[in-house]
Amino acid sequence: MAKILLNKKNLFHNLNIISEHAGSKEKVAVVLKDNAYGHGLVEIATLCAEFGIKKAVVRTLKEALHIKELFNNILILAESNFHTYSHSFHIALNSLENISNLPNNSNVHIKVDTGMHRNGICIDELEEAYTGLLKKNIKITGVFTHHRNADTLSTDFFWQNENFKEIKRRVVNICEKLSLDIPSFHSCNSSALFRHNNFNEDFARVGIATYGYLETDKTYNNPELKPVLSMWAEKMSTRELKQGQSLGYGATFTASKDMIVSTYDIGYGDGFLRLNERQSYTTPKGHKILGRVSMDNLSLDTDEKEVCIFDNVQELAKIQDTITYEITTTLSSEIKREIK
Ligand SMILES: *Cc1c(COP(=O)(O)O)cnc(C)c1O
C-alpha cells in the first residue's frame, strides 16, 4: 500500500527554528487546517504537542474537536455552526454579520482587514463588533489580521503592519474605555514571521514553515527548513515493455528499446496531481514517470518493490505551476500516515 512517511526529526528541526525566531514555543500557533496541509491532522498535532507547542489553528469545529486534548488554545478560522464548544476554543469573527452565529459566552478573535480584502471587519467596524460581541457575553481574546503579500518583495507587508498598528491602538482604546482585558494581537503567517527580525507580537500562526517550506522570495534570508512529508508507493505489477510498445492512457510513452516498467499504487485519485506527457518528473532516486498518471496508478522505469515518489514537493510545485501548499494539501486523507 502507498503510504506517507512523516519525518519527526525534520518536523522538530523546523519547530525549533520557528520557535527560536518567534521568541519561544508559547509564541507559536501551529496551523493544522486542511488535515495539517495534507500531512495528517492528528499525527502532526500529536507531534507538535510533544514538542511543546500549546496553540493550534484549524479551519473547522470538527478539526478542533479531533485535537482538543492536545492544545490549550485552538483558533478556529471558519466555522459557522457550533453545535458544541470548549473553553480552549477561540472563534475567528470574519464579518459583523457572523456575530449572530456565535455561541454565547464563547471566546472570539476578531479578524480585521488590513488590505487583503478577503475576510475580516474593517477598522471602522471595531466598536460595533465589540458592542455586538459583549451583548452575547463573548470574551474578545484576540484581534488579528492576515498579510496578502508577505512572501514577495513588496512594500505591502509594511503597509499592512502600519494598518494593524492603528487597529491595535483603537482596540486598546476601546478596552480602556470599557475596562476590558487587552486581547492578544497576531498578524504573521510563516513568511511574515521570517520577515521580522524582532518579532514582538503575542504569537504567529505558522503553517507552511512547520512542514518544511517557505514560498518566500529568494532575496530573503530564508531559514534552512526540512520537508516533513515523503510519499511512498508500492509496486502492483512489472512487465517488459518491448521496443515500440506504448504505455498507459493515450499511449503517450513509447519504449525506444526493450525495458522493464512497473505500475505503482498512487494516482491523481490519491491527490498526486495528474502529470502528463508534456511534463517530465523524476523521483528522488532517478526513476522517470512514464506517460500519464492515472487515477490510481503511475508507471516507472524500475521494478523496485517500494519507491519514494517525492520527499520534497518544491519540484512538483514547479512542474504543476502551483505552490507547495497545494501539492501537499490535496493528498488524500485515506493514505496511511506513518511517523518515522
Ligand atoms: C493558512 C493560514 C495561516 C498559515 O499560513 P502559512 O503561510 O502556511 O504560514 C495563517 N493565518 C491564516 C489566517 C491562515 O488562513
Side-chain angles (χ1 to χ4, degrees):
M1 285 288 278
K3 67 178 178 207
I4 283 171
L5 284 188
L6 301 170
N7 187 317
K8 176 173 170 177
K9 224 171 91 204
N10 287 0
L11 177 69
F12 279 27
H13 166 89
N14 299 337
L15 290 172
N16 251 321
I17 290 180
I18 293 161
S19 39
E20 267 173 28
H21 198 87
S24 70
K25 292 176 185 179
E26 279 66 36
K27 289 194 159 209
V28 178
V30 63
V31 181
L32 300 171
K33 66 189 179 193
D34 296 90
N35 201 27
Y37 291 34
H39 289 61
L41 171 62
V42 173
E43 289 84 353
I44 295 290
T46 306
L47 292 172
C48 289
E50 183 188 327
F51 179 84
I53 302 291
K54 307 271 187 258
K55 299 185 181 74
V57 181
V58 295
R59 181 183 185 186
T60 64
L61 176 62
K62 189 174 160 200
E63 291 171 333
L65 291 169
H66 277 302
I67 58 166
K68 194 170 121 192
E69 312 303 330
L70 295 167
F71 299 95
N72 49 29
N73 185 314
I74 301 177
L75 173 61
I76 303 172
L77 291 173
E79 179 64 67
S80 51
N81 182 9
F82 281 90
H83 56 84
T84 173
Y85 180 74
S86 152
H87 282 285
S88 61
F89 294 173
H90 301 257
I91 307 168
L93 177 73
N94 291 305
S95 76
L96 285 181
E97 63 191 299
N98 289 345
I99 293 177
S100 58
N101 296 331
L102 296 171
N104 291 342
N105 308 305
S106 50
N107 301 316
V108 160
H109 284 213
I110 301 175
K111 183 157 195 187
V112 190
D113 181 7
T114 50
M116 187 168 184
H117 306 322
R118 185 179 65 172
N119 285 313
I121 65 167
C122 60
I123 184 165
D124 294 328
E125 293 174 327
L126 271 170
E127 298 241 10
E128 199 181 338
Y130 261 84
T131 313
L133 292 167
L134 293 174
K135 255 192 224 148
K136 296 187 72 164
N137 215 8
I138 286 170
K139 200 165 165 207
I140 296 107
T141 49
V143 172
F144 74 110
T145 192
H146 195 53
H147 285 280
R148 70 177 186 188
N149 227 351
D151 47 2
T152 53
L153 197 56
S154 124
T155 55
D156 287 3
F157 174 68
F158 304 101
W159 168 64
Q160 286 191 261
N161 280 341
E162 284 310 307
N163 292 342
F164 195 48
K165 262 190 213 156
E166 176 59 21
I167 285 158
K168 289 181 195 171
R169 241 175 265 131
R170 295 224 202 159
V171 168
V172 169
N173 270 340
I174 294 172
C175 291
E176 280 169 357
K177 208 166 69 190
L178 302 174
S179 306
L180 298 169
D181 291 341
I182 309 282
S184 51
F185 293 108
H186 49 105
S187 69
C188 289
N189 65 345
S190 300
S191 49
L193 170 65
F194 284 101
R195 284 185 71 171
H196 282 285
N197 288 321
N198 287 303
F199 176 74
N200 65 0
E201 289 190 337
D202 293 301
F203 63 89
R205 308 179 306 268
V206 183
I208 198 73
T210 307
Y211 308 105
Y213 302 101
L214 261 190
E215 291 282 337
T216 315
D217 278 354
K218 295 284 172 281
T219 39
Y220 294 114
N221 204 0
N222 285 329
E224 298 282 327
L225 302 166
K226 296 182 179 171
V228 171
L229 181 153
S230 59
M231 165 73 96
W232 296 74
E234 200 176 273
K235 187 172 75 177
M236 298 169 70
S237 67
T238 297
R239 73 202 62 246
E240 185 177 25
L241 201 63
K242 297 277 185 210
Q243 181 181 15
Q245 285 185 324
S246 298
L247 180 160
Y249 282 117
T252 58
F253 174 79
T254 302
S256 58
K257 58 178 190 312
D258 295 356
M259 65 189 289
I260 296 294
V261 299
S262 304
T263 305
Y264 290 84
D265 62 346
I266 277 182
Y268 61 80
D270 302 296
F272 181 76
L273 300 179
R274 185 175 171 278
L275 293 165
N276 63 29
E277 61 279 13
R278 287 187 296 281
Q279 297 138 328
S280 171
Y281 177 74
T282 308
T283 68
K285 277 183 79 181
H287 303 303
K288 218 169 134 52
I289 292 189
L290 308 173
R292 296 180 188 165
V293 169
S294 313
M295 192 182 292
D296 298 324
N297 341 205
L298 54 80
S299 297
L300 298 172
D301 57 355
T302 176
D303 63 352
E304 277 174 79
K305 190 172 174 306
E306 200 178 40
V307 172
C308 177
I309 302 294
F310 59 79
D311 56 11
N312 181 335
V313 301
Q314 270 162 331
E315 161 97 15
L316 277 167
K318 231 180 270 158
I319 294 173
Q320 298 282 12
D321 192 20
T322 183
I323 51 178
T324 51
Y325 297 73
E326 190 182 14
I327 302 290
T328 65
T329 304
T330 49
L331 296 173
S332 166
S333 60
E334 295 291 312
I335 305 168
K336 182 176 60 173
R337 267 74 175 165
E338 264 177 36
I339 296 162
K340 71 152 210 237

